[in-house]
Every structure is written in C-alpha cells, then in structure tokens.
Amino acid sequence: MDQPEGRYHYQLMRRALEAIDASEVPLSLEALAGEMQMSTAHFQRVFSAWVGVSPKRYQQYLQLGQAKRMLNERFTTLETAQSVGLSGGGRLHDLFLRWEAMSPGEFAKKGAGLTVNYGWFDTPFGETLVMGTERGICGMGFAEEMGREACFEDLAQRWPKAGFVEKPAALHGWVKAGQEQSGETALHLIGAPFQIKVWEALLQVPSGHVTTYSEIAVAIGHPKAVRAVGTAVGRNPVSWLIPCHRALRKSGALGGYHWGLPVKRALLAWESAREEA
C-alpha cells in the first residue's frame, strides 16, 4: 500500500472515469489513451496492471446500470452466505482477518487513555490515512475527494479523547497484508454495539459481490432498521477492509459513500473486474 504507483494508477483511472462519464458513447482504447495523453500501448499496460481487464470491459462495470446487474447476478444473501461458507471468498477469509470490538464501556470513554498511531499510505484508490491501536487497524479513510486535513479530522473526531501519534511503521505490516491479501490483518473496531453488528455483517460480503441495506438489517435481526443500518454503514471507520462500498440501495442505486461516490464506483468496478479476471 505504500508504493507510489498505487496513487499514480488511481489518478489515471480517475481521469479515465471522468472521460468515460463525459462521453455519450463508449470510448475505444485509442480514444481513452488520447484523453490521457498516453500511447495506446502504455495506457493498456497501466490499465491492465490496475484492473486486469480491457478498458472496454471496465467501462461496462462503470455504467450506471452495473449496480442493478450486480444485484441480479452477484447479490449476497448474508444468512445463506454464512451457512454455506460463501464468505470464504471474501475479505474475512482472503486476509485471514481477525478482529475484536471495543467494549461498550470503553467506547463510552470516547478514546480516553487510548493511543492511536497513524500514517499515510498509497493504495490503488489514492492516498489513504490508516489509524490503529496496539490491537489492530481502527480507521482507514480515502483522502482523494476531501483532502488530507479533512480526512484526518473526520477519523480523529470519532475518538476525541484519544492521543494520536504519527507512526506508520507500527501499521505497515497490517496494511501490507491488506494490500497483498496475505498474512494477517488485525482490526480493532471502535463503535457502538449496533454499529459493530452492521460492520460484522459487511465482512460477510465477498469481494466482487454486493448486498443491500435492507438485507443487512435482516441479517443483524433488525429488519425495520434500514435507515439506522444505512447510517451505521456510513460511519464505518475502516473503509475497504470492512467493505461498506458493497452495500447498495434495494433499487440498485449506489447510495451514498462517505469518501466520495467516484471512489465507491472505482472500488466496485475494480473488484468486479478482478473477480471476472
């Protein structure tokens, strides 16, 4: 995650996404490369390294109807996923992810007495702020849409009485495991009990698949609490590793995304393309 090419690839894909959105018709490889002011060969190499499929195929994943198609073809019923082990293809298995939640009493202290290390890392989706305690990663946010200062403030204000120390070396191993999907990534979930249940349900959604807010509500035993589930999804402090981007509205609309819809679209398209590849 700390490799500069990660940010370069994301910035390139962000520009490509903007070009695709601005065009009324699908763009050819030559047209996209021209928009990026790159040779077709260079653009194809960089694009394939980031996504693993052709620009033409990737554009299909970025189309507005893709979310509805994913609901039809890759919808995850969380209760079934757990019973048949479908989540074995998701982050919970791939990362050998272990997690523990802060107790309600600890949460009520708003981080008092807690030391949170933080560092900035390059990821496939731009510069990312990672925070963690001695127990594991407790925060991860994307700075591309809101900027560094706002991103830091957004995460830090969730635990206002904690002490924050810039110490990326303390987080590097967990971050590297998350990027490479090998080894072990530890998470320390700091939230209210209801939020923890929602975030735990999100961990059951496999990469390349999606679910809905209402499905999550059913899975945690509160079928009428769809709005509250949506709020808890939006307050997920560990983006990407706890895949809140895989939660969609029942209509197939993307819904909101705390770190910006362009990032959510890129995350879903990237995972879908890699699932197919």
Side-chain angles (χ1 to χ4, degrees):
M1 268 188 183
D2 54 351
Q3 299 175 353
E5 61 264 27
R7 192 193 312 176
Y8 167 69
H9 288 176
Y10 173 72
Q11 291 294 350
L12 178 68
M13 291 306 103
R14 182 179 179 181
R15 288 167 52 210
L17 189 151
E18 290 171 351
I20 291 166
D21 285 347
S23 177
E24 295 182 358
V25 297
L27 296 175
S28 65
L29 172 62
E30 291 75 17
L32 269 173
E35 288 277 356
M36 301 302 105
Q37 298 182 332
M38 299 168 65
S39 70
T40 54
H42 185 204
F43 177 73
Q44 179 82 319
R45 280 197 301 272
V46 173
F47 196 99
S48 297
W50 194 77
V51 183
V53 297
S54 70
K56 179 180 178 180
R57 188 64 176 141
Y58 184 71
Q59 286 184 75
Q60 294 174 357
Y61 289 121
L62 289 174
Q63 292 170 355
L64 294 179
Q66 171 61 12
K68 291 183 179 180
R69 283 196 296 274
M70 290 186 75
L71 278 177
N72 289 331
E73 300 170 9
R74 294 182 178 177
F75 172 66
T76 296
T77 302
L78 296 180
E79 184 178 358
T80 302
Q82 281 188 302
S83 65
V84 302
L86 181 59
S87 61
R91 290 282 180 182
L92 191 61
H93 174 78
D94 292 344
L95 299 181
F96 303 97
L97 194 66
R98 66 176 174 85
W99 66 272
E100 61 177 300
M102 178 173 279
S103 71
E106 290 175 309
F107 173 67
K109 294 179 182 179
K110 300 181 179 180
L114 193 67
T115 297
V116 177
N117 298 313
Y118 72 90
W120 293 94
F121 298 85
D122 286 315
T123 76
F125 307 99
E127 192 173 37
T128 300
L129 173 64
V130 180
M131 292 183 170
T133 69
E134 61 181 9
R135 299 190 215 175
I137 293 173
C138 65
M140 181 180 286
F142 297 115
E144 289 301 312
E145 296 296 313
M146 63 175 62
R148 265 193 172 205
E149 185 176 342
C151 184
F152 184 90
E153 177 63 25
D154 185 286
L155 285 179
Q157 58 86 26
R158 300 170 191 238
W159 318 295
K161 295 184 180 180
F164 295 88
V165 179
E166 187 168 11
K167 195 175 180 181
L171 307 166
H172 184 269
W174 292 326
V175 173
K176 187 172 185 289
Q179 169 71 358
E180 297 178 356
Q181 298 189 20
S182 63
E184 181 179 80
T185 296
L187 298 183
H188 186 195
L189 305 188
I190 303 176
F194 182 85
Q195 292 174 322
I196 299 293
K197 285 185 178 181
V198 171
W199 302 340
E200 181 183 5
L202 287 169
L203 288 169
Q204 305 300 324
V205 184
S207 180
H209 292 69
V210 294
T211 193
T212 63
Y213 300 110
S214 57
E215 174 65 22
I216 293 171
V218 171
I220 65 171
H222 296 276
K224 296 183 179 180
V226 177
R227 187 179 295 274
V229 164
T231 300
V233 169
R235 293 294 293 171
N236 166 32
V238 188
S239 57
W240 195 10
L241 298 182
I242 299 178
C244 51
H245 59 278
R246 297 178 194 155
L248 307 177
R249 290 177 179 165
K250 200 170 184 179
S251 64
L254 285 179
Y257 189 61
H258 191 78
W259 306 107
L261 280 179
V263 177
K264 182 172 186 174
R265 290 180 63 201
L267 280 162
L268 288 171
W270 185 79
E271 290 183 346
S272 293
R274 290 195 165 231
E275 177 76 8
E276 178 180 287

